[in-house]
Amino acid sequence: MLGLMQDWPLLCTKLIDHAAIIHPDREIVSRSVEGPIHRTTYREARLRALKLAQRLEREGIRSGDRVATMAWNTWRHFECWYGIVGAAAIYHTLNPRLFPEQIAWIMNDAEDRILFTDLTFLPLVEAIAPKVPSLGKVIVLTDAAHMPATTLPDVVAYEDWLAEADGDFAWKVVDENTAAGMCYTSGTTGMPKGVVYSHRSNVLHSMIAQQPDAMGLSSRDRVLPIVPLFHANGWGMAFTCPMAGSGIVMPGAKMDGASVYEMLTRERVTVSAAVPTVWLMLLQHLETTGDALPDLRKVIIGGSACPRVVIQKFQDDYGVQVIHAWGMTETSPLGSLCSIKADCQDLEGEALLDLQEKQGFPPFGVEMKITDDADRALPWDGKTFGRLKVRGPAIAKAYYKGQGAEFFDADGWFDTGDIAHIDPQGYMQITDRAKDVIKSGGEWISSIELENLAVGHPGVAEAAVIGLKHPKWDERPLLVVVPKPGQTLCKEDVLGFLEGKIVKWWMPDDVAFVEEIPHTATGKIRKTALREQFRDYVLPTASDTNG
Amino acid sequence: MLGLMQDWPLLCTKLIDHAAIIHPDREIVSRSVEGPIHRTTYREARLRALKLAQRLEREGIRSGDRVATMAWNTWRHFECWYGIVGAAAIYHTLNPRLFPEQIAWIMNDAEDRILFTDLTFLPLVEAIAPKVPSLGKVIVLTDAAHMPATTLPDVVAYEDWLAEADGDFAWKVVDENTAAGMCYTSGTTGMPKGVVYSHRSNVLHSMIAQQPDAMGLSSRDRVLPIVPLFHANGWGMAFTCPMAGSGIVMPGAKMDGASVYEMLTRERVTVSAAVPTVWLMLLQHLETTGDALPDLRKVIIGGSACPRVVIQKFQDDYGVQVIHAWGMTETSPLGSLCSIKADCQDLEGEALLDLQEKQGFPPFGVEMKITDDADRALPWDGKTFGRLKVRGPAIAKAYYKGQGAEFFDADGWFDTGDIAHIDPQGYMQITDRAKDVIKSGGEWISSIELENLAVGHPGVAEAAVIGLKHPKWDERPLLVVVPKPGQTLCKEDVLGFLEGKIVKWWMPDDVAFVEEIPHTATGKIRKTALREQFRDYVLPTASDTNG
């Protein structure tokens, strides 16, 4: 027997409709790429998104077509998302920080037909466009007055192009499982893989995010999404803010400490979200200027593990609550958030920070487990670590064109590629990437934990740990170290520093000193390159069968 | 093109799974019907619900079967809901305050197969059961020690019955549109009509409720749902609390001021929800004792319009935030909630109360409009009132067996039967029931507004306004008044009191003094009976064609 409740599909366009009707005058304030601060409202943004959808249709865009954006967070980029999904097309965010060849490969894989881009990226687009045969028009997110000369054959200023539509358009109504967005994982190994969000997953993800223990945005909040829309579905904030009726403050191209501080203050921002690097820059800026953060009540920090000092400074020095979070492009992206449960409310000082260094527990809508290599579930004891697998309505079940099938279990779990432990209260902490964990005698050693400890040595600028083949233990850790300028370090120095901080069998078998550690375009350590570099390296213990 | 996100059906059982895994030790504290306080946890509740589902299956309950409950809010009633939906059956809550014949009619309409009931209602059930041929076993929510003698032929104590299962059971996995629950509208006119909730609508309703501007429960909250589970789907709280990981405090059978205060205080309740009558009793109790409410941060008040004084006292005297809300059995039930938007944050005193007397704006997931009799949309100016129509994924599209088809538009809107105005910010205020509004010369007069004003007269105990046929104006208002004991009132007294408070053409054409106004089982004025009573009444203006 079926229920008798309304068939009301979960469509992204319902979000901007809600905001425009119930919170019509709530502002979207942006630092424009051209320079000045720009102000608009949900009512106006919806009208322009309607024009955009209408205009895209006239451009020949049809249901399921991929429309790319390579743009900063501004009101125009926000309008693009809604206009694209409103035309039943698919927004495909491109990360301009990838190598040009990677971007071209991704655009060809997705067969993007139109590209919206900012002035900033025009030279990059000029280089890429000839390599992408599917690409037609390039629409530059500016007005005619700011339109530069360009070698692109089919190009137009956004404001001119949009002005040709009157907005007399009705959103395309589609099944809620229809594709709405695409984002490729940058991936430290292999080719990028496309994640395809549906209308349903985006709406449910926002509802998941709206729970008070997750992001929990209210209509009274003014939210600064520093995390770019092109990073992991923009953490869903282009959908969650309209759902909440929150004001939005868009940082444009400027994410340095002074610029972020300026937007936080002049627009009285109450909630913000970004990766740790951005917050480190802000905190450094504040320490220099001595400024405070009177309006900011909460920051959501994810993308990589948040340093303890960032949490501590925000809370102790500025009275700002930190929500440490974990997620991936494949999880829309919210996977877990470290809010404080009732049992932990009395924690303070170091004990509180110990908890907040964890990436937190999954909200309703995300299921988690940790497993060993045989896919057996491991206990939630806060110590045992295993492969982190997740399940939920806003989590990928496959990559575009069937790539990476090995990450998806037959029973519907997605293997995150992360290694984590979970405590009895459900608080999860990432300890490593699966491909970087060192498998020594059937037990796992976390490369990240060793790296984090090693960089605590006053003479170490950067550290990386990789597993090298070992005749007896299968793999053993090699610690690769970049000494700080002018410092002379020896193996015994560094290993001595680790002693007592780790169990004995975690101790690296050797230390290699290098001038530089290879990085990806997004700043992560390229362990594949490092493993290649040390492929023929022989550990001192490797010939010693008692090692 | 479809998205590539996981097929994760929105099932009610996912809610208790989430709570049991992520918030396993969070307590459900109940005042038992037997007397003592009872404590359990989400982990334990889930295990017992699994046993219940297993046991129901052994009892022959199959997918889609209706299983009734007539019970107070306790941990056992909570378990019943999850056990029933976990067996793919349908929980059907019965309101024990209805007339026995009505309950029997409803049970026959629903063809209930099993009934869970509290000790309190056993005499009532004994009277009803012989009239319900479909009813098999009656399960009394108590243990063997408390089991009384009964004339029921097939009856068992819940704890004995449950103990026969071991809980080695997996929730039935069904399509998310499968029916999960049923609740009949009590209806002041006509026969009761069945609303059939789906798994999807219940889960989405909880996600809607979890938005910070709606109920917004956190894992740190301890929630006292005073509103009975048998009223309008229990306001969804049996689903929303586990989603949030909130503690639950169940009041059992006692809802008087002293009992509610005792639970609020001893269990340090932070959020509660009930109809205005309950709060009036609590506030009276507090005024007598001089006690305070240090832990309570928020109360959600709905079911009928909340008196201004209740809002004012909670906020000014006790520091408790009031969320005035509106909803119906047909809307799962949340339709709108009066939280304070950014623009209204500076309001205080009377201006704030003016706002809070409104039933608020719809959260994402509820669409609203007001229309005239020709179904034309009316403006949101805060003055023009019309029929309130709603749309959303947790709003009925039909009643059980196709009853009441006239309430559902072809384009998917549900006609609430309420009359309301909406202001430019989306704040809605109910002004009347459609069947009670007085249609005078093509314009509408709100019977409720007149009644609210009339009871402000110091000599008036109760007032009701009905429309009587009028040769010129179609209908004109008659004010029916119950004077306070010992008071002598005349028409001029009462109408003189209204003068200046309403526009002239709203002035009732006559006042009738009565000793009693008829009420429904749930305490609402029975205007049908009143109209019947005054069917032959002739208004003094009715013979005067200039009247």
Side-chain angles (χ1 to χ4, degrees):
Chain A
M1 178 169 155
L2 293 179
L4 293 173
M5 306 307 276
Q6 295 186 13
D7 307 309
W8 195 87
L10 305 174
L11 301 181
C12 297
T13 46
K14 301 264 191 197
L15 295 162
I16 193 73
D17 285 350
H18 172 77
I21 293 167
I22 304 299
H23 308 281
D25 302 320
R26 203 71 174 123
E27 278 192 323
I28 303 168
V29 182
S30 310
R31 187 190 297 280
S32 69
V33 175
E34 296 89 343
I37 299 296
H38 176 273
R39 313 185 87 86
T40 183
T41 63
Y42 280 126
R43 185 198 282 116
E44 181 69 17
R46 176 176 179 273
L47 180 61
R48 282 167 54 98
L50 280 166
K51 289 184 183 180
L52 204 150
Q54 184 183 25
R55 196 63 194 76
L56 278 176
E57 198 164 70
R58 208 179 300 161
E59 209 66 65
I61 290 299
R62 294 291 173 267
S63 173
D65 280 350
R66 272 75 69 202
V67 176
T69 67
M70 189 190 293
W72 301 113
N73 289 9
T74 68
W75 80 103
R76 287 182 179 130
H77 196 176
F78 177 85
E79 291 163 6
C80 285
W81 279 33
Y82 282 101
I84 293 167
V85 298
I90 300 169
Y91 66 86
H92 172 205
T93 51
L94 295 168
N95 184 347
R97 291 174 188 146
L98 299 180
F99 299 110
E101 312 78 61
Q102 259 184 316
I103 300 175
W105 187 94
I106 287 172
M107 292 184 77
N108 281 318
D109 193 58
E111 297 167 85
D112 295 325
R113 293 201 45 202
I114 282 185
L115 170 65
F116 292 91
T117 190
D118 270 324
L119 287 165
T120 323
F121 308 118
L122 212 49
L124 181 58
V125 172
E126 286 173 344
I128 293 167
K131 298 175 191 155
V132 184
S134 62
L135 184 62
K137 200 175 241 72
V138 173
I139 300 159
V140 185
L141 295 165
T142 191
D143 54 20
H146 291 85
M147 194 65 186
T150 167
T151 61
L152 289 167
D154 186 3
V155 63
V156 65
Y158 176 73
E159 296 295 344
D160 284 358
W161 178 82
L162 199 63
E164 291 166 14
D166 60 9
D168 183 13
F169 187 83
W171 303 128
K172 296 287 171 198
V173 175
V174 294
D175 181 281
E176 68 183 32
N177 292 303
T178 303
M182 262 181 114
C183 187
Y184 280 71
T185 58
S186 53
T188 44
T189 54
M191 293 312 284
K193 294 179 283 291
V195 175
V196 187
Y197 308 109
S198 65
H199 282 265
R200 173 182 164 105
S201 72
N202 275 335
V203 173
L204 288 178
H205 180 267
S206 285
M207 291 181 127
I208 291 168
Q210 269 298 75
Q211 295 179 83
D213 277 300
M215 286 196 182
L217 306 178
S218 87
S219 66
R220 293 166 298 289
D221 280 316
R222 281 173 297 276
V223 181
L224 177 71
I226 306 178
V227 53
L229 288 171
F230 56 76
H231 266 185
N233 206 22
W235 295 11
M237 300 190 82
F239 302 122
T240 309
C241 291
M243 177 179 280
S246 305
I248 309 182
V249 183
M250 293 288 206
K254 295 195 176 175
M255 280 159 275
D256 60 285
S259 301
V260 166
Y261 174 75
E262 190 193 348
M263 291 306 264
L264 286 173
T265 307
R266 69 182 290 166
E267 299 302 334
R268 305 190 60 189
V269 167
T270 58
V271 177
S272 185
V275 296
T277 319
V278 166
W279 298 124
L280 281 165
M281 290 190 296
L282 175 70
L283 291 169
Q284 274 164 16
H285 173 80
L286 292 174
E287 271 167 39
T288 312
T289 60
D291 286 321
L293 298 169
D295 298 300
L296 194 63
R297 66 176 182 92
K298 183 159 79 176
V299 288
I300 296 130
I301 308 185
S304 60
C306 182
R308 190 176 179 100
V309 65
V310 170
I311 305 174
Q312 183 260 317
K313 283 197 175 166
F314 263 122
Q315 294 181 163
D316 295 352
D317 299 354
Y318 301 99
V320 175
Q321 183 197 1
V322 170
I323 304 279
H324 191 189
W326 167 85
M328 303 174 72
T329 302
E330 291 87 338
T331 63
S332 293
L334 291 184
S336 69
L337 300 104
C338 194
S339 70
I340 308 299
K341 291 189 185 188
D343 291 348
C344 309
Q345 271 183 291
D346 294 334
L347 291 180
E348 47 187 36
E350 298 304 315
L352 177 61
L353 292 175
D354 286 346
L355 181 73
Q356 291 187 290
E357 272 196 299
K358 302 187 178 196
Q359 279 87 355
F361 57 90
F364 175 79
V366 178
E367 294 180 66
M368 278 188 176
K369 65 177 179 180
I370 44 174
T371 64
D372 64 15
D373 274 339
D375 199 29
R376 281 180 300 242
L378 295 171
W380 290 21
D381 58 12
K383 298 188 303 258
T384 309
F385 53 84
R387 291 169 170 278
L388 179 65
K389 297 184 178 178
V390 291
R391 201 159 68 166
I395 294 170
K397 68 177 174 189
Y399 292 111
Y400 192 50
K401 296 184 179 169
Q403 286 179 63
E406 65 274 21
F407 292 102
F408 303 95
D409 284 7
D411 54 350
W413 291 87
F414 167 63
D415 187 338
T416 64
D418 276 325
I419 302 295
H421 54 68
I422 308 181
D423 76 14
Q425 302 302 314
Y427 283 94
M428 181 275 289
Q429 187 163 18
I430 303 287
T431 58
D432 215 337
R433 290 288 297 166
K435 60 186 187 308
D436 298 333
V437 79
I438 292 127
K439 297 182 179 179
S440 170
E443 301 284 342
W444 292 0
I445 298 171
S446 162
S447 67
I448 291 179
E449 270 187 57
L450 289 176
E451 289 161 7
N452 286 346
L453 284 168
V455 293
H457 187 292
V460 172
E462 190 171 16
V465 173
I466 52 173
L468 293 188
K469 285 263 170 287
H470 191 281
K472 182 171 176 187
W473 301 107
D474 209 15
E475 278 186 357
R476 287 296 301 161
L478 169 72
L479 173 57
V480 184
V481 161
V482 182
K484 281 192 181 161
Q487 296 272 348
T488 323
L489 290 173
C490 69
K491 171 178 168 178
E492 289 68 27
D493 271 351
V494 180
L495 295 186
F497 180 78
L498 297 181
E499 218 157 288
K501 298 188 176 75
I502 49 173
V503 290
K504 277 193 178 157
W505 60 274
W506 276 40
M507 188 60 74
D509 284 24
D510 203 2
V511 183
F513 296 95
V514 295
E515 285 183 13
E516 201 179 11
I517 285 174
H519 291 98
T520 67
T522 55
K524 294 175 185 169
I525 294 173
R526 270 164 52 89
K527 293 215 173 161
T528 39
L530 211 57
R531 275 190 282 266
E532 183 61 24
Q533 188 178 330
F534 285 94
R535 197 178 44 176
D536 301 324
Y537 194 88
V538 179
L539 290 170
T541 54
S543 53
D544 169 12
T545 49
N546 299 317
Chain B
M1 177 169 156
L2 292 178
L4 293 172
M5 306 308 276
Q6 294 186 12
D7 307 310
W8 195 87
L10 305 175
L11 300 181
C12 297
T13 46
K14 301 265 192 197
L15 294 162
I16 193 71
D17 285 351
H18 172 77
I21 293 167
I22 303 300
H23 308 282
D25 302 320
R26 202 71 174 123
E27 278 192 324
I28 302 169
V29 183
S30 310
R31 187 190 296 279
S32 69
V33 174
E34 296 88 344
I37 298 296
H38 176 273
R39 312 187 86 86
T40 183
T41 62
Y42 279 125
R43 185 198 280 116
E44 180 69 16
R46 176 176 179 273
L47 180 60
R48 283 167 55 97
L50 280 166
K51 288 183 184 182
L52 204 151
Q54 185 184 26
R55 195 65 194 75
L56 278 177
E57 197 165 70
R58 208 180 299 162
E59 211 66 63
I61 291 298
R62 295 290 172 268
S63 172
D65 281 349
R66 273 74 69 201
V67 176
T69 66
M70 190 192 291
W72 301 113
N73 288 10
T74 69
W75 80 104
R76 287 182 180 130
H77 197 177
F78 177 86
E79 291 163 6
C80 284
W81 278 32
Y82 282 101
I84 294 166
V85 298
I90 300 169
Y91 66 86
H92 172 205
T93 50
L94 295 168
N95 184 346
R97 292 173 187 146
L98 298 181
F99 299 110
E101 311 78 60
Q102 259 184 318
I103 300 175
W105 187 92
I106 287 172
M107 292 185 76
N108 281 317
D109 194 58
E111 298 166 83
D112 294 326
R113 292 200 46 201
I114 281 183
L115 169 65
F116 291 91
T117 190
D118 270 325
L119 287 166
T120 322
F121 308 119
L122 212 49
L124 180 59
V125 171
E126 286 172 346
I128 294 167
K131 298 175 192 156
V132 184
S134 62
L135 184 63
K137 200 175 241 70
V138 173
I139 299 160
V140 185
L141 295 166
T142 191
D143 54 21
H146 290 84
M147 195 65 185
T150 167
T151 61
L152 289 167
D154 186 4
V155 63
V156 66
Y158 176 73
E159 295 295 344
D160 284 359
W161 178 80
L162 199 64
E164 290 166 16
D166 60 10
D168 183 13
F169 186 83
W171 303 128
K172 295 286 171 198
V173 175
V174 294
D175 181 282
E176 68 184 29
N177 291 303
T178 302
M182 261 180 113
C183 188
Y184 280 70
T185 57
S186 54
T188 44
T189 54
M191 293 310 286
K193 294 180 283 292
V195 175
V196 187
Y197 308 108
S198 66
H199 282 265
R200 171 181 165 106
S201 72
N202 276 333
V203 173
L204 288 178
H205 180 267
S206 285
M207 291 179 128
I208 290 167
Q210 270 297 76
Q211 296 177 82
D213 276 300
M215 287 197 182
L217 306 178
S218 88
S219 66
R220 292 166 299 288
D221 280 316
R222 282 172 297 277
V223 181
L224 178 70
I226 306 178
V227 54
L229 288 171
F230 55 76
H231 267 185
N233 206 23
W235 296 11
M237 300 190 81
F239 301 122
T240 310
C241 291
M243 178 179 280
S246 305
I248 308 183
V249 183
M250 292 288 206
K254 296 192 174 176
M255 279 158 275
D256 60 285
S259 301
V260 165
Y261 174 75
E262 190 192 346
M263 291 307 264
L264 286 173
T265 307
R266 69 181 289 165
E267 299 302 334
R268 304 189 61 187
V269 167
T270 58
V271 177
S272 186
V275 295
T277 318
V278 166
W279 298 125
L280 280 166
M281 291 192 294
L282 175 70
L283 291 170
Q284 275 165 14
H285 173 80
L286 292 174
E287 271 167 40
T288 312
T289 61
D291 285 321
L293 297 169
D295 298 300
L296 193 63
R297 66 177 182 93
K298 183 160 78 178
V299 288
I300 295 130
I301 307 185
S304 59
C306 183
R308 190 175 178 100
V309 65
V310 170
I311 304 174
Q312 182 260 318
K313 282 196 177 167
F314 263 122
Q315 294 181 165
D316 295 351
D317 299 355
Y318 301 99
V320 175
Q321 183 197 3
V322 170
I323 304 280
H324 192 190
W326 167 85
M328 301 174 74
T329 303
E330 292 88 337
T331 62
S332 292
L334 291 184
S336 69
L337 299 103
C338 194
S339 70
I340 309 299
K341 292 190 185 186
D343 290 349
C344 310
Q345 272 184 290
D346 294 333
L347 291 180
E348 48 187 37
E350 299 303 316
L352 177 62
L353 291 175
D354 285 347
L355 181 73
Q356 291 188 291
E357 273 197 297
K358 301 186 178 197
Q359 279 87 356
F361 57 89
F364 175 79
V366 178
E367 295 179 68
M368 277 187 177
K369 65 176 178 181
I370 43 175
T371 64
D372 62 16
D373 274 340
D375 200 30
R376 282 181 298 244
L378 295 170
W380 291 21
D381 57 13
K383 296 188 303 261
T384 308
F385 51 86
R387 291 172 169 278
L388 180 65
K389 297 185 178 178
V390 292
R391 202 160 66 168
I395 294 170
K397 69 177 172 190
Y399 291 112
Y400 192 50
K401 297 182 178 170
Q403 287 181 63
E406 66 274 21
F407 293 101
F408 302 95
D409 284 6
D411 55 349
W413 292 86
F414 167 64
D415 185 339
T416 65
D418 276 326
I419 302 295
H421 54 67
I422 307 179
D423 76 13
Q425 302 302 314
Y427 284 93
M428 181 275 290
Q429 187 163 19
I430 303 287
T431 58
D432 216 336
R433 290 289 296 168
K435 61 184 184 310
D436 299 333
V437 79
I438 293 127
K439 297 182 181 180
S440 170
E443 300 286 340
W444 292 0
I445 299 171
S446 162
S447 68
I448 292 180
E449 270 187 57
L450 289 176
E451 289 161 7
N452 287 346
L453 286 169
V455 294
H457 187 293
V460 172
E462 190 170 16
V465 173
I466 52 173
L468 293 188
K469 284 265 169 288
H470 190 280
K472 181 173 178 187
W473 302 108
D474 209 15
E475 278 186 358
R476 287 296 301 161
L478 169 71
L479 172 57
V480 183
V481 162
V482 181
K484 281 192 183 161
Q487 297 271 349
T488 324
L489 290 173
C490 68
K491 172 178 167 178
E492 288 69 28
D493 270 352
V494 180
L495 296 187
F497 179 78
L498 296 181
E499 218 156 288
K501 299 189 174 77
I502 49 173
V503 290
K504 275 192 178 155
W505 60 274
W506 276 40
M507 187 62 73
D509 283 25
D510 203 2
V511 183
F513 296 96
V514 295
E515 285 184 10
E516 202 179 11
I517 284 174
H519 291 98
T520 66
T522 53
K524 294 176 185 168
I525 294 173
R526 269 163 53 88
K527 294 215 172 163
T528 39
L530 212 56
R531 275 190 282 265
E532 183 61 24
Q533 188 178 332
F534 286 93
R535 198 178 41 174
D536 302 325
Y537 193 88
V538 179
L539 290 170
T541 54
S543 53
D544 168 12
T545 47
N546 301 316

